[in-house]
Amino acid sequence: MFLEMIYCFIATFFFAQIMNAPKKTLLYSSLTASIGYAVYKFCIVSGHSLLGFFLGTCLIAIIGEILARRLKMPATIFIFPSVIPIVPGLGLYETILAFVQNDIQKALETGVNTILNIGSMAIAMALISLIALKAHTKKTV
């Protein structure tokens, strides 16, 4: 698992570079991705894939919001590259492959599971963003 975290760190670092993220955010985004991936992987190993997507994304969004406040930058600069290693790309690929192979049952099963995973990630990001917004507005009032 430690080796996977290193791979996640490296992939996020270079993906953030490709997306022209500011140089001082590269290390933070990569560390955030590694931590979020570790939580995701721990939940996957324990048999809770949907919870893994949710908790991993929640942790990435929380750290991204904290870093955004500290470094005075938009949170998406930290969250977007960091969440890439968790995105269920294999599920999307397997869904399309099953459709092409005319295995509708497997395509629907894999597709619904993948959409649930993506939905849990979207809910996690929206929830943390909303909480951060409410917390920030209470401090300024």
Side-chain angles (χ1 to χ4, degrees), residues 60-104:
I60 288 171
I62 288 169
I63 296 171
E65 291 288 343
I66 291 169
L67 289 171
R69 302 295 184 267
R70 294 239 171 149
L71 298 175
K72 296 180 179 26
M73 294 183 162
T76 54
I77 290 175
F78 301 101
I79 296 171
F80 182 65
S82 300
V83 82
I84 293 296
I86 298 178
V87 172
L90 181 63
L92 294 170
Y93 173 78
E94 288 177 347
T95 301
I96 298 302
L97 182 64
F99 271 123
V100 169
Q101 293 175 342
N102 218 11
D103 188 359
I104 303 301

Side-chain angles (χ1 to χ4, degrees), residues 28-132:
Y28 294 119
S29 295
S30 300
L31 287 172
T32 302
S34 294
I35 294 168
Y37 184 80
V39 170
Y40 157 76
K41 195 65 175 179
F42 177 75
C43 290
I44 293 290
V45 168
S46 63
H48 300 93
S49 66
L50 193 61
L51 185 64
F53 283 102
F54 182 78
L55 291 179
T57 306
C58 269
L59 187 61
I60 288 171
I62 288 169
I63 296 171
E65 291 288 343
I66 291 169
L67 289 171
R69 302 295 184 267
R70 294 239 171 149
L71 298 175
K72 296 180 179 26
M73 294 183 162
T76 54
I77 290 175
F78 301 101
I79 296 171
F80 182 65
S82 300
V83 82
I84 293 296
I86 298 178
V87 172
L90 181 63
L92 294 170
Y93 173 78
E94 288 177 347
T95 301
I96 298 302
L97 182 64
F99 271 123
V100 169
Q101 293 175 342
N102 218 11
D103 188 359
I104 303 301
Q105 179 67 30
K106 183 180 177 190
L108 289 175
E109 182 181 320
T110 308
V112 167
N113 189 28
T114 303
I115 289 172
L116 285 174
N117 293 337
I118 293 170
S120 70
M121 291 175 69
I123 289 170
M125 282 189 264
L127 183 67
I128 298 303
S129 178
L130 182 65
I131 291 170

